[in-house]
Amino acid sequence: MDHKKETRQFKTEVQQLMKLIINSLYSHPEIFLRELISNASDAIDKIRFKSQTDPNILGQDTEFRIRIIPDRQNRTITVEDNGIGMTYDEVIENIGTIAQSGTRAFLEAMEKAKGKDSLLPELIGQFGVGFYSSFIVAEKVTLLTRAAGQEKAVRWESSGDGSYTVEEAEKDSRGTAVTLKLRQPGDDEPDYTDEWTIRGIVKRHSDFVSYPIVMDVERQEPIPDDQLIKDKDGKPIGSTTRTVKKQETLNSMKAIWTKNRTEVSEEEYTEFYKHISHDWEAPLAHLHIRFEGTTEYQALLYIPSRLPFDFTLRERRHGIHLYSKRVFIMDDCRELMPEYLGFIYGVVDAPDLNLNISREILQHDSLVRNIRKNLLKRIFDLLENMEPEKYEKFFSEFGAILKIGIPTDRENRERIAKLLRYRTTKSEGKFVSLQNYLERMQPGQDEIYYITGDNFAALSNSPHLERLKEKDLEVVLMTDPIDEWVVQHLGQYEDKKFTSAEKGDLGLDKPDDKKSGEFSGFMAFLKDELKDLVKEVKPSTHLKDSLSCLSGEAYDMSAYMEKILRATGQKTQPVKRVLEINIDHPAIANVKFVYEKDRTNPVLKDYARLLYDLAVVAEGGKVEDPSRFSRTIGQLMAEAITAEELMTGDAIEV
């Protein structure tokens, strides 16, 4: 099908992106070259992998390379590859619309990163919009591509003004060439057509690309003696050197994971991490492993310093690249790393792996399962032996993600549990391990007390903890939504059962049956008044100073879990809870006195509702009728002040 030249508009989101990139003052504009080289490397990876099952696809062009062509006179720079190339439709899909690029998420992350220039290069790479980084330095970008197996090529061109042109074209060989018409550099800006500028960028960002990055360079070389012009005495006339163009490889192409650890410097480890992750910061830690035995494989894994911006996006690709004998098989290898460690970047090279392996086969391949098991073991070893300060930084970034392993990875649940950290009522705001909690337990204590919620301050001051604090019992304060599932699936730690501080009878004291019996009628009255709100009213086993609180039965859904499910749009049947009353509180004794004196007194209805509302407020909830709550409190204050004035003889009219 013939395609005539046509002009198209970018999608709205892409236009926003282009405008943002063109007008932003990046502190690292050189990333455009890193991204174009990375795209070229990906294109070669794809055809190299495809050639394993279809060798004829390469034709005579079997030497892979990425070529950089600077033109100082015309102010252009071209990055050319002999990779898989693109068809007309693929150009429209991948360059014109970028439907799967995560562009909207990129823009949202950019908004969050305002004023943090050091984060922008990472965002460009992570969100798959690297091609657009060309417009940081270019006033016009031209892409010429020919797909493998196709006769016709495609030319795409844009000046970053919201539109682009696309047309059928001619190209001698397969692959893609991206040509940038560069803007004139400012006084402090580098010249991206300069050989040494290009060399420096490649060395910093692309030295570990596994294909040669080549460039023609001018060099002075001696003129052979038999070609020199000489005088009658045989002495050379004029210059004895001449300028020649030579093709040089700019990158080392080191397969760093195949080398011994002693041969690799920290700087090299960091450079390689930045190459595969597009992160501007150094990693928090790395793990270089060589497994030997019946099967052999190498792995180089990295833990980032912080959670990637795009980590929560559904379309985000995992950071593990799978190779076999240095031949790329796939990136986004989810089969080698569970979701709760999906933030880890790295390379795994398994020589015995079938090059034609599919994702479906990977899931059932015994070698892959063995690699995964060993990688997890070594990662847990690394985390368990990490310096406390470094681990604290790790957990603050990745702790909530790591916890997902408790409900999803039964085999490694115990090792994950050892890595968990929580603040407690005795940790003074610091995170401590569950092992630390066990070491501080009271003699004879058989339970790990915990409470869940979304606010640390509210939890640490919760009325549910009053009796526990009185008994000097430490309580784990869990503030991540995933913690609800953690305690459900963990159940216990080192044979110590998790017990909710807000559910069930804590059993800390023997109940005073006589006193409870004295309040039975009053409790029955409160239960009848609040029958639409609570399922039971009883003397509290949790409270010491507060009037009331809401608790659940031992196996009820917690109030926080109910809140989480509602927030995620799930329909849940409201769970009626138990209203606990502090029968040792003077105010409760006074209300009981009013009840016994005149059970028809209308103020009792207000007191009953007030006790419920106070319990809701105490746990950080919202009262159903704030104005009624406010009026009742105001009335009680007025009555209290009036009573005090009467006692002093200075009564006022109300």
Side-chain angles (χ1 to χ4, degrees):
M1 180 178 179
D2 292 331
H3 295 282
K4 295 182 179 180
K5 185 172 183 178
E6 57 179 321
T7 300
R8 294 182 173 225
Q9 296 295 314
F10 286 109
K11 277 191 171 183
T12 303
E13 291 172 9
V14 179
Q15 290 189 43
Q16 289 178 280
L17 177 65
M18 301 272 275
K19 182 178 179 181
L20 187 150
I21 287 177
I22 293 170
N23 295 320
S24 293
L25 297 176
Y26 283 89
S27 57
H28 304 285
E30 64 192 38
I31 63 166
F32 83 90
L33 189 54
R34 177 193 75 182
E35 292 304 319
L36 293 182
I37 291 173
S38 179
N39 290 346
S41 176
D42 289 344
I44 298 175
D45 279 342
K46 290 175 182 176
I47 197 165
R48 189 181 184 192
F49 179 58
K50 196 170 183 179
S51 70
Q52 302 301 317
T53 54
D54 182 11
N56 295 327
I57 196 172
L58 297 179
Q60 301 300 313
D61 189 5
T62 58
E63 297 295 324
F64 300 118
R65 48 93 188 107
I66 300 167
R67 190 179 177 202
I68 298 177
I69 309 168
D71 184 338
R72 178 170 291 184
Q73 184 175 351
N74 293 310
R75 296 288 305 152
T76 65
I77 182 172
T78 299
V79 177
E80 182 181 54
D81 65 70
N82 58 344
I84 193 95
M86 287 181 284
T87 64
Y88 191 95
D89 291 339
E90 286 171 339
V91 169
I92 297 297
E93 180 182 355
N94 297 329
I95 307 297
T97 60
I98 315 296
Q100 305 300 321
S101 70
T103 308
R104 180 184 296 277
F106 173 84
L107 294 171
E108 291 173 355
M110 287 287 287
E111 186 66 26
K112 294 178 183 177
K114 272 187 177 178
K116 302 176 182 177
D117 278 0
S118 63
L119 301 182
L120 303 182
E122 178 194 354
L123 294 177
I124 285 277
Q126 284 187 358
F127 285 96
V129 293
F131 174 78
Y132 295 116
S133 63
S134 303
F135 289 96
I136 300 174
V137 297
E139 60 186 35
K140 184 171 72 173
V141 176
T142 302
L143 178 143
L144 182 63
T145 183
R146 177 178 157 189
Q150 299 291 313
E151 294 297 326
K152 291 290 185 179
V154 183
R155 178 182 286 105
W156 179 100
E157 195 167 80
S158 176
S159 298
D161 55 0
S163 66
Y164 62 91
T165 62
V166 60
E167 62 183 316
E168 206 167 68
E170 298 294 329
K171 189 175 185 295
D172 293 337
S173 58
R174 70 161 193 272
T176 301
V178 181
T179 301
L180 279 57
K181 174 64 175 176
L182 298 168
R183 296 189 181 93
Q184 288 294 332
D187 294 337
D188 299 325
E189 294 177 348
D191 180 359
Y192 295 112
T193 64
D194 176 69
E195 174 192 341
W196 297 103
T197 298
I198 294 171
R199 283 180 177 275
I201 296 171
V202 171
K203 180 65 178 175
R204 281 192 295 277
H205 305 306
S206 306
D207 195 46
F208 296 102
V209 170
S210 54
Y211 306 107
I213 302 171
V214 300
M215 181 171 66
D216 289 340
V217 296
E218 292 185 349
R219 291 289 180 265
Q220 295 293 317
E221 67 174 27
I223 299 173
D225 188 69
D226 60 352
Q227 296 180 20
L228 288 172
I229 301 173
K230 301 178 181 179
D231 61 18
K232 61 182 179 178
D233 297 324
K235 294 182 179 180
I237 299 174
S239 176
T240 59
T241 62
R242 63 186 175 189
T243 301
V244 296
K245 279 199 171 184
K246 300 179 67 176
Q247 187 178 89
E248 292 189 8
T249 300
L250 308 184
N251 59 323
S252 66
M253 296 179 290
K254 299 173 185 174
I256 188 173
W257 62 87
T258 65
K259 303 175 75 173
N260 291 325
R261 289 191 294 270
T262 55
E263 299 174 1
V264 186
S265 68
E266 286 300 317
E267 291 76 14
E268 288 176 313
Y269 278 127
T270 298
E271 285 178 15
F272 183 67
Y273 166 73
K274 292 179 178 180
H275 164 63
I276 63 172
S277 69
H278 299 283
D279 192 348
W280 208 255
E281 294 185 24
L284 184 67
H286 69 263
L287 193 61
H288 192 172
I289 316 163
R290 180 188 296 272
F291 292 96
E292 297 179 343
T294 54
T295 57
E296 297 184 1
Y297 46 93
Q298 300 89 33
L300 178 54
L301 306 178
Y302 293 92
I303 297 175
S305 294
R306 52 189 171 79
L307 193 67
F309 278 94
D310 63 340
F311 187 80
T312 56
L313 294 181
R314 179 174 297 179
E315 63 268 26
R316 179 186 184 267
R317 304 177 74 80
H318 277 215
I320 303 298
H321 300 248
L322 182 61
Y323 285 76
S324 178
K325 298 177 183 176
R326 293 184 60 184
V327 176
F328 172 80
I329 294 180
M330 67 177 69
D331 56 8
D332 189 31
C333 191
R334 298 169 184 264
E335 291 72 21
L336 287 175
M337 200 62 58
E339 288 292 330
Y340 64 89
L341 294 174
F343 49 81
I344 289 178
Y345 290 99
V347 168
V348 175
D349 192 335
D352 296 327
L353 204 59
N354 184 349
L355 287 174
N356 298 329
I357 199 164
S358 67
R359 195 170 290 281
E360 291 73 22
I361 296 174
L362 272 178
Q363 295 173 356
H364 306 288
D365 188 89
S366 59
L367 175 58
V368 171
R369 290 199 301 269
N370 183 54
I371 294 174
R372 175 184 169 118
K373 182 178 180 179
N374 285 319
L375 291 181
L376 288 180
K377 180 180 182 300
R378 297 298 295 272
I379 290 170
F380 289 134
D381 289 344
L382 172 67
L383 294 174
E384 288 171 0
N385 294 297
M386 194 175 279
E387 301 92 328
E389 186 175 336
K390 182 182 285 190
Y391 186 77
E392 184 178 339
K393 182 177 181 181
F394 164 81
F395 195 80
S396 67
E397 285 291 329
F398 305 105
I401 309 299
L402 183 67
K403 291 175 184 176
I404 295 173
I406 295 292
T408 60
D409 188 353
R410 178 185 293 272
E411 184 178 351
N412 293 294
R413 189 172 291 166
E414 290 185 8
R415 294 204 72 173
I416 300 170
K418 290 180 180 180
L419 295 170
L420 301 184
R421 299 291 184 268
Y422 290 103
R423 288 177 289 186
T424 75
T425 50
K426 290 187 177 181
S427 68
E428 299 178 343
K430 297 180 180 179
F431 285 88
V432 297
S433 67
L434 293 174
Q435 191 62 43
N436 294 143
Y437 179 96
L438 295 188
E439 292 167 359
R440 294 202 291 258
M441 286 175 65
Q442 297 295 325
Q445 181 182 342
D446 294 321
E447 297 167 299
I448 300 173
Y449 295 103
Y450 75 92
I451 187 170
T452 61
D454 56 4
N455 185 287
F456 171 73
L459 286 185
S460 57
N461 294 292
S462 170
H464 294 97
L465 310 186
E466 291 175 356
R467 285 290 182 191
L468 291 165
K469 289 179 178 178
E470 182 187 29
K471 301 292 184 181
D472 198 31
L473 292 167
E474 190 170 9
V475 183
V476 179
L477 308 174
M478 299 182 169
T479 54
D480 283 329
I482 187 64
D483 287 326
E484 286 282 350
W485 285 271
V486 168
V487 291
Q488 285 181 22
H489 288 83
L490 203 54
Q492 60 183 24
Y493 180 77
E494 299 288 339
D495 297 325
K496 300 295 184 181
K497 178 185 175 183
F498 281 95
T499 298
S500 173
E502 63 170 327
K503 294 195 292 185
D505 189 344
L506 294 178
L508 299 176
D509 296 300
K510 291 184 178 180
D512 187 336
D513 295 333
K514 181 179 178 182
K515 189 167 186 178
S516 297
E518 293 173 359
F519 278 81
S520 59
F522 179 56
M523 296 294 169
F525 164 78
L526 292 176
K527 180 180 178 181
D528 184 62
E529 284 296 320
L530 301 170
K531 59 181 180 291
D532 294 334
L533 300 171
V534 300
K535 63 180 176 182
E536 186 62 73
V537 180
K538 66 178 185 181
S540 178
T541 62
H542 298 82
L543 300 175
K544 179 179 181 294
D545 300 314
S546 300
L547 283 170
S548 59
C549 70
L550 289 168
S551 65
E553 300 292 357
Y555 298 101
D556 281 351
M557 182 190 299
S558 72
Y560 187 44
M561 174 67 87
E562 190 176 341
K563 181 179 179 180
I564 292 170
L565 295 178
R566 284 201 306 269
T568 56
Q570 299 185 49
K571 293 182 179 179
T572 59
Q573 191 68 26
V575 178
K576 285 187 178 181
R577 301 167 70 198
V578 176
L579 178 64
E580 294 193 11
I581 303 297
N582 184 358
I583 60 177
D584 294 324
H585 199 288
I588 298 299
N590 290 339
V591 177
K592 176 175 172 286
F593 175 77
V594 175
Y595 164 76
E596 291 176 342
K597 184 177 180 181
D598 181 5
R599 299 185 181 187
T600 63
N601 191 331
V603 76
L604 289 171
K605 292 181 180 291
D606 289 336
Y607 288 157
R609 185 54 188 258
L610 182 60
L611 287 171
Y612 174 80
D613 286 345
L614 286 172
V616 171
V617 171
E619 64 180 16
K622 295 182 179 180
V623 296
E624 187 177 305
D625 189 347
S627 59
R628 174 179 176 171
F629 178 75
S630 178
R631 286 197 305 271
T632 304
I633 295 294
Q635 183 180 348
L636 287 173
M637 290 178 64
E639 290 174 354
I641 293 172
T642 301
E644 183 178 350
E645 295 293 341
L646 284 170
M647 291 175 65
T648 59
D650 299 322
I652 57 175
E653 291 188 8
V654 179

